[in-house]
Amino acid sequence: MSLLLVLLACALTCLGQVAQKYAVEQWRIAPSAWPAKLRTPWLWLALFALGLGLLVWLLVLQRLDVGVAYPMLSLNFVLITLAARWLFDEPIDRQHGVGVLLVMLGVALLGQHA
Amino acid sequence: MNRQRGIFFALGSVLLVSAAQLGMRWSMTRLPALEHWSTAPLSMTALAVVIAAIGAYGLSMLCWLLALRDVPLGRAYSLLSLSYALVYLLAGSLPWFHESLNLSKSLGVALVMLGVLVINLRTVPVAVSHPRSDP
């Protein structure tokens, strides 16, 4: 249950970042004045996801040691890499792949103590 | 580009986010579980600390954005990985947290930091996205 909450917090944070990226892309494609920029639904989805992510994170900290839980947040680097690869077609080089594997190994080790 | 200023803000962001995480943990363990919020008594101190911690977290985001004016994203993330070690070591050694340090956890934290460094110290700067990826 606690580990699922960690995953949920990471997924929401990742969703928030992807939505921010879409918001910025939209502003780039169709430049507009600030009031119109603020009406971008992606921006509101980003804020909602990040806010909800923070609330879920507070629930995680009620259950898990922060010394174990906080480094597990680095799972975000893994999720963002997947999002960059599959949603934005960004190339992932070999060194990036090795880094992602190291993060996953570290998180798996920390997960044993959750 | 003013490198020194960038590193100053990046390290400020590291300290603030570490303090925020420790503050959130300290206060959340002193607040009732979600389902009892309407009935159980709320500690005003814990409530104040959790609000201050969320404020520190917001300030760390601001420092982060200021740091990114002067430091490339990869370097900034590399510095940010210091906060994993800082939070782990402080939570394991400060008496109020009752957390422990051991070999397997230390190895986990070290692997995570190494992974973040390997991803972010590549010579080809690939900016995945600018906002920071941690709550």
Side-chain angles (χ1 to χ4, degrees), chain B residues 26-91:
Chain B
W26 185 89
S27 49
M28 285 314 285
T29 50
R30 282 157 182 80
L31 288 169
L34 196 58
E35 57 270 29
H36 299 131
W37 268 60
S38 50
T39 50
L42 294 182
S43 150
M44 282 304 137
T45 317
L47 217 49
V49 171
V50 79
I51 290 167
I54 292 173
Y57 171 61
L59 269 182
S60 94
M61 290 293 172
L62 187 66
C63 278
W64 178 254
L65 292 175
L66 291 173
L68 287 185
R69 288 188 309 181
D70 296 313
V71 177
L73 189 68
R75 306 282 149 163
Y77 268 130
S78 305
L79 282 173
L80 192 70
S81 73
L82 285 175
S83 68
Y84 297 137
L86 199 58
V87 168
Y88 169 64
L89 292 174
L90 285 176

Side-chain angles (χ1 to χ4, degrees), chain A residues 13 17 20 57-58 61-62 64-68 70-71 73-74 76-77 80 93 95-96 99 102 106 110 113, chain B residues 17 21 24-25 28 31-32 77 83-84 87-88 99 102 104-105 108 112 115 118 122 128 131-135:
Chain A
T13 311
Q17 292 210 283
Q20 281 176 68
W57 183 246
L58 290 175
L61 290 183
Q62 240 173 1
L64 292 184
D65 285 358
V66 67
V68 168
Y70 179 58
L73 271 189
S74 57
N76 260 311
F77 284 100
I80 288 289
D93 60 48
Q95 191 176 339
H96 194 148
L102 286 169
L110 288 166
H113 300 277
Chain B
V17 77
Q21 291 294 335
M24 285 191 236
R25 166 67 176 169
M28 285 314 285
L31 288 169
Y77 268 130
S83 68
Y84 297 137
V87 168
Y88 169 64
E99 295 187 17
N102 67 36
S104 142
K105 281 196 254 180
V112 158
V118 165
R122 282 167 304 146
V128 169
R132 202 169 75 195
S133 63
D134 65 22

